[in-house]
Amino acid sequence: MATTRSAHTVWEGSLTEGSGTVTFDSSGIGQQAVSWPSRAEQANGKTSPEELIAAAHSSCFSMALSHGLTGAGTPPPTLDTSADVTFQPGTGITGIHLTVEGEVPGLDEAAFTSAAEDAKANCPVSQALTGTTITLSAKLA
């Protein structure tokens, strides 16, 4: 069964002077403030599209790696994954670096690295970030 998750943003003002609020509609976990300075300079307690991508990628990758390891008979008690998304104003997202540390009894370093490479290539967020067609519906209020 397919699922759809939703969020929306209300933005007020220009790119550099304005600000917005991202609302997590599907989960109901709340709202987060977003602004150009929080994206291009210091976060200052606000989020950014890149931080949201990092959260999505680190969690998806962890799920994919856990699934792969479990399927291979070596379920991981713990995986600690971080994603660093680099944004260059005027250029865009220039790279994402995943770092994972895992506790996987019975698995050597080479096998863990191989499983992590497979998860990196096959998690749905990785796949979406490497060439997914983006579509748009737009209308005036």
Side-chain angles (χ1 to χ4, degrees), residues 76-96:
T78 304
L79 297 171
D80 185 351
T81 304
S82 62
D84 298 307
V85 178
T86 302
F87 174 74
Q88 178 65 46
T91 302
I93 294 173
T94 60
I96 299 172

Side-chain angles (χ1 to χ4, degrees), residues 48-116:
S48 69
E50 291 72 28
E51 183 177 41
L52 298 171
I53 290 169
H57 206 177
S58 66
S59 60
C60 182
F61 171 85
S62 293
M63 290 178 195
L65 180 54
S66 176
H67 180 68
L69 290 168
T70 300
T74 54
T78 304
L79 297 171
D80 185 351
T81 304
S82 62
D84 298 307
V85 178
T86 302
F87 174 74
Q88 178 65 46
T91 302
I93 294 173
T94 60
I96 299 172
H97 183 74
L98 295 170
T99 302
V100 61
E101 185 174 334
E103 179 186 334
V104 189
L107 202 63
D108 65 21
E109 194 75 28
F112 181 71
T113 300
S114 177

Side-chain angles (χ1 to χ4, degrees), residues 105-133:
L107 202 63
D108 65 21
E109 194 75 28
F112 181 71
T113 300
S114 177
E117 287 289 341
D118 184 66
K120 178 179 72 81
N122 293 303
C123 92
V125 171
S126 290
Q127 292 175 347
L129 295 172
T130 60
T132 299
T133 299

Side-chain angles (χ1 to χ4, degrees), residues 12 14 21 27 30 35-36 51 75 97 106 127 134 138:
E12 297 175 348
S14 69
T21 303
S27 64
S35 69
W36 178 254
E51 183 177 41
H97 183 74
Q127 292 175 347
I134 298 172

